[in-house]
Structures are given as structure tokens and as C-alpha cells.
Amino acid sequence: MENEKIPFTQFLPGIAWFFVVGILTLMPARDVPEVGWIDMIPNFDKIVHAVLFGGLAFFFALPIFKSRVSYKQKINYSIKICLASVIWGITIEFLQKFYVPSRDFDLLDWAADAVGVIIALWLIIRILKYLQKKDLQ
């Protein structure tokens, strides 16, 4: 299949979510809102990390679903998007350590980011398989 250019506008949800993730993870700890009862859930911050970074990978993969590249290429692009999301997660941790007051490097946060991205990749592959099967019918 022929490579096609995906319009920039289709990446806007991913770009918007990239900024949401950046703002939420790079704000000083004193500015992070307390949510009350939700803060009592053990490791709730890790769940938030998984959702933020899993969402990042998923939103950037959305335009690939409708593209006309081969299934193999779609998987390849999805893996690259997920790797970039995991790299962004570790980058955030270093930025927090060196540049954000009252925030620290937390390897478990990065692990939660990676778990969220892995779940997103699993979901992306499932959707791509479904779409491929649907197109063959």
C-alpha cells in the first residue's frame, strides 16, 4: 500500500493531550489539586500516570486507524508512538527532578507511565486487528 500523508489536524487530539500531560506533570507539587476521597486510594497517582501516558499513546495513534498504510506499517507506527510516549515519561521525571520545585524523580511514576502505554498498545493492536478483519469481509 502507498504511504499517504496524514493531515496535521488529525493529530490535534494527541497534541492537546501532550500539553495536558506536560502541564499536569510539570506543575509544582503545591499547585496539584487535592481531590479528597480519591487521594485515599492507594497509589492513585500511579493510576493517573498510567491513564495520562496511555492516553497520550492512544490519542497519537488515532490517525493511524484510518490511514491507508499496510497493517504491518500501522503496527510499526504504533510501536514507535508508544516508545516515544515512554521516553517522554522518563524525560518528565528528569525535568521534575532538575527544574520543578518540590517535585522529584520517581522511577515508579515512570513504570506506571510505561504500564499505561503498554495497555494502550494492546488496545491499539486489538483495534487494528478488528479493523483489518472488518476490511477483509
Side-chain angles (χ1 to χ4, degrees):
M1 292 195 177
E2 182 178 318
N3 277 344
E4 69 176 52
K5 287 194 175 207
I6 299 172
F8 173 78
T9 54
Q10 290 188 18
F11 289 99
L12 289 178
I15 293 167
W17 196 251
F18 175 85
F19 284 106
V20 167
V21 170
I23 290 167
L24 291 176
T25 57
L26 293 174
M27 68 174 48
R30 68 180 180 277
D31 294 338
V32 176
E34 291 187 24
V35 190
W37 66 271
I38 291 179
D39 291 329
M40 295 188 312
I41 298 171
N43 298 312
F44 182 72
D45 67 315
K46 304 307 182 240
I47 296 168
V48 170
H49 274 266
V51 169
L52 287 174
F53 285 85
L56 182 66
F58 187 80
F59 286 135
F60 269 110
L62 282 176
I64 293 170
F65 294 154
K66 294 182 181 178
S67 69
R68 291 190 289 169
V69 298
S70 69
Y71 173 78
K72 184 177 178 182
Q73 193 63 44
K74 288 178 182 183
I75 296 293
N76 189 10
Y77 287 149
S78 299
I79 290 170
K80 289 176 182 177
I81 288 168
C82 288
L83 285 173
S85 298
V86 170
I87 291 169
W88 179 236
I90 194 76
T91 302
I92 290 285
E93 292 305 317
F94 280 109
L95 290 172
Q96 286 178 340
K97 178 179 181 172
F98 293 113
Y99 298 106
V100 181
S102 68
R103 296 294 285 263
D104 295 317
F105 181 96
D106 186 346
L107 198 55
L108 291 178
D109 282 352
W110 182 57
D113 300 343
V115 167
V117 169
I118 290 167
I119 292 169
L121 180 61
W122 175 81
L123 183 60
I124 291 164
I125 291 171
R126 299 276 305 193
I127 292 169
L128 289 173
K129 282 182 181 180
Y130 169 78
L131 293 173
Q132 182 190 31
K133 187 177 178 182
K134 184 177 157 192
D135 286 344
L136 293 175
Q137 292 179 352

